[in-house]
């Protein structure tokens, strides 16, 4: 079960992911994000992971594809506030080295508007 | 605990619930439970995508048991013989533009588990995982 909400942090768009981003929910998340990218005019996107309970490699793929598209469109993405278990997955997969991860939304927003 | 799954990604929900029950009974930490869930999800997704193939009928059987200071998980399927644990590891230093989108799952399994083994038993692929409980 995954729910996605759009919010705003200091003029930066925020996607709040709640629940589980896994092989069962990743297609739905991918469709949502592609739609978001199509209509969004701002340059930065923050994924708020504070309420994400579980992330598998299917979910990592979503972030990676999103980062690839962002790069080609000169947009920036950042991950904010992952739990310890989610952070562990980001670290051992090597994603912590290729994606920007911040302890909270405010610091992520600050880095994106610079 | 014995669980039986159909060859469908929607079964990942039942996997998660089954693991939660097992973790409660055995008093496992959230970290150990999440690691087991991740590793088993990766392997079941592999069986679905590359073993039986999507949309093909097939069974997947999981046995979970506490073995001293470890949890032992045995996953069986009847797809063609294939050892997913032989897949090469992705280069963790490659940049986002060239990073391949697949190939991560097995790397995660090996990082998260303390021991893993594949064998072919008759018509079955049998993968055994072990995770230290502390």
């Amino acid at each position: 079960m995954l729910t996605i909400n759009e919010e705003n942090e200091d003029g930066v768009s925020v996607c709040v992911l709640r629940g589980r981003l896994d092989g069962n929910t990743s297609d739905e998340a991918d469709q949502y994000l592609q739609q978001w990218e199509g209509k969004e005019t701002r340059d930065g996107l923050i994924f708020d992971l504070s309420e994400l309970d579980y992330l598998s490699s299917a979910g990592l793929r979503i972030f990676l594809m999103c980062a690839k598209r962002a790069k080609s469109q000169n947009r920036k993405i950042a991950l904010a506030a992952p739990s310890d278990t989610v952070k562990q997955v980001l670290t051992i997969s090597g994603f912590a080295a290729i994606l920007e991860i911040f302890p909270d939304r405010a610091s992520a927003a600050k880095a994106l508007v610079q | 605990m014995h669980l039986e799954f159909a060859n469908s990604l929607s079964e990942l929900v039942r996997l998660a619930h089954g693991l939660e029950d097992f973790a409660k009974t055995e008093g496992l930490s959230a970290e150990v439970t999440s690691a087991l869930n991740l590793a088993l999800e990766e392997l079941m997704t592999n069986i679905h995508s590359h073993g039986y193939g999507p949309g093909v009928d097939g069974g997947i059987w999981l046995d979970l048991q506490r073995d001293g200071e470890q949890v032992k998980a045995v996953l069986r399927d009847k797809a063609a013989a294939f050892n997913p644990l032989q897949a090469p590891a992705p280069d963790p230093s490659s940049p986002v533009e060239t990073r391949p989108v697949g190939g991560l799952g097995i790397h995660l399994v090996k990082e998260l588990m303390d021991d893993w083994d594949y064998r072919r038993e008759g018509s079955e692929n049998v993968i055994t995982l072990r995770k230290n409980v502390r």
Side-chain angles (χ1 to χ4, degrees):
Chain A
M1 182 71 188
L2 177 77
T3 57
I4 306 177
N5 286 98
E6 285 176 43
E7 293 177 12
N8 189 302
E9 176 83 34
D10 281 342
V12 179
S13 300
V14 178
C15 257
V16 186
L17 301 172
R18 289 186 177 90
R20 302 171 64 86
L21 183 50
D22 60 17
N24 191 42
T25 58
S26 62
D27 279 355
E28 172 194 335
D30 190 43
Q31 280 170 17
Y32 183 95
L33 286 172
Q34 296 211 38
Q35 232 171 33
W36 179 88
E37 286 164 33
K39 70 177 164 83
E40 183 56 59
T41 52
R42 285 176 288 195
D43 292 339
L45 173 62
I46 295 169
F47 291 101
D48 180 342
L49 307 184
S50 59
E51 292 178 60
L52 189 69
D53 303 319
Y54 176 82
L55 172 67
S56 77
S57 79
L60 288 171
R61 278 179 208 115
I62 301 303
F63 291 141
L64 181 60
M65 289 191 290
C66 188
K68 282 178 191 259
R69 291 192 300 262
K71 197 110 188 171
S72 69
Q73 295 161 356
N74 281 321
R75 284 176 152 168
K76 285 181 181 171
I77 67 166
L79 308 184
S83 69
D84 285 350
T85 50
V86 167
K87 201 170 177 179
Q88 186 198 17
V89 174
L90 291 166
T91 305
I92 60 180
S93 60
F95 275 53
I98 56 173
L99 295 173
E100 301 250 37
I101 302 172
F102 297 89
D104 52 54
R105 275 160 56 157
S107 54
K110 205 173 156 191
L112 287 193
V113 294
Q114 269 177 356
Chain B
M1 177 183 272
H2 180 77
L3 296 164
E4 188 171 339
F5 302 102
N7 180 38
S8 163
L9 289 180
S10 63
E11 293 285 68
L12 295 175
V13 177
R14 284 185 54 227
L15 170 68
H17 289 159
L19 275 167
E20 275 165 29
D21 290 343
F22 179 74
K24 219 173 269 173
T25 311
E26 297 294 337
L28 302 180
S29 69
E31 196 191 338
V32 167
T33 312
S34 175
L36 283 165
N37 197 339
L38 251 153
L40 290 165
E41 175 184 332
E42 300 305 343
L43 294 170
M44 278 179 59
T45 305
N46 248 312
I47 293 166
H48 172 262
S49 313
H50 307 298
Y52 292 120
V56 177
D57 280 342
I60 301 171
W61 297 268
L62 171 65
D63 281 291
L64 289 166
Q65 71 178 82
R66 179 71 171 260
D67 188 6
E69 291 301 289
Q70 289 187 319
V71 172
K72 181 181 169 192
V74 181
L75 195 66
R76 296 168 184 270
D77 69 75
K78 291 182 190 285
F82 176 65
N83 179 0
L85 301 170
Q86 278 178 336
D91 176 3
S93 63
S94 66
V96 66
E97 297 89 333
T98 57
R99 180 67 81 99
V101 174
L104 253 176
I106 296 305
H107 173 65
L108 286 180
V109 172
K110 292 178 177 174
E111 288 287 330
L112 291 166
M113 294 294 109
D114 292 291
D115 191 37
W116 54 86
D117 172 67
Y118 166 86
R119 63 184 189 278
R120 182 76 178 174
E121 266 182 18
S123 61
E124 293 186 341
N125 294 302
V126 183
I127 292 173
T128 305
L129 303 175
R130 286 175 179 275
K131 174 73 179 168
N132 296 340
V133 294
R134 60 184 116 245

